[in-house]
């Protein structure tokens, strides 16, 4: 480790972190938890709008005539994308937590 690297590590240690890596991991966890919350909130909004979870919405898609077809099509694509993003964020979070 160079003198410069040691100096930088001391800055992180004085801030209460064991290392710059420890700091980076904690900041990434915070960011992923924020992303998780955003995805969860968007999914919750779809569930509240339709009064059901995605799986049921997908099965009953054509029966939900109180909503227009274009609205349902947009929502099913966006809802599915949020679920995929949620799983990806959970996977990334699990990697750095373990």
């Amino acid at each position: 480790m160079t003198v410069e690297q040691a100096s930088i590590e001391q800055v992180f240690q004085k801030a209460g972190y064991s290392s710059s890596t420890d700091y980076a991991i904690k900041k990434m966890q915070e960011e992923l938890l924020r992303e998780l919350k955003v995805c969860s909130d968007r999914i919750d909004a779809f569930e509240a709008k339709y009064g059901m979870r995605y799986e049921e919405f997908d099965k009953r898609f054509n029966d939900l005539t109180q909503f227009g077809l274009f609205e349902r099509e947009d929502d099913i694509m966006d809802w599915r994308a949020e679920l995929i993003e949620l799983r990806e964020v959970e996977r990334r979070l699990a990697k750095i937590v373990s």
Side-chain angles (χ1 to χ4, degrees):
M1 180 181 296
T2 67
V3 172
E4 185 178 308
Q5 289 169 326
S7 177
I8 290 170
E9 287 300 313
Q10 286 177 350
V11 170
F12 286 103
Q13 290 169 357
K14 286 180 182 177
Y17 299 95
S18 62
S19 66
S20 58
T21 301
D22 179 46
Y23 172 82
I25 289 170
K26 285 189 167 93
K27 290 301 173 185
M28 182 53 68
Q29 284 175 328
E30 290 172 9
E31 176 60 22
L32 290 172
L33 289 171
R34 187 196 63 73
E35 288 180 36
L36 203 60
K37 173 85 169 91
V38 169
C39 287
S40 293
D41 288 349
R42 290 178 180 159
I43 291 166
D44 289 347
F46 285 120
E47 290 177 354
K49 178 178 180 177
Y50 290 101
M52 63 188 80
R53 297 182 56 86
Y54 176 82
E55 295 78 13
E56 184 179 355
F57 176 75
D58 189 35
K59 287 179 190 173
R60 297 181 52 204
F61 182 83
N62 291 316
D63 300 330
L64 302 170
T65 56
Q66 69 269 34
F67 300 96
L69 178 60
F70 292 122
E71 181 180 9
R72 285 180 286 148
E73 286 176 342
D74 283 346
D75 285 350
I76 200 167
M77 288 186 294
D78 292 344
W79 199 344
R80 185 180 314 120
E82 287 301 331
L83 290 166
I84 291 167
E85 181 65 18
L86 181 77
R87 285 191 290 271
E88 174 60 24
V89 171
E90 288 172 336
R91 185 188 63 75
R92 290 174 19 216
L93 186 58
K95 279 186 176 181
I96 65 171
V97 170
S98 57

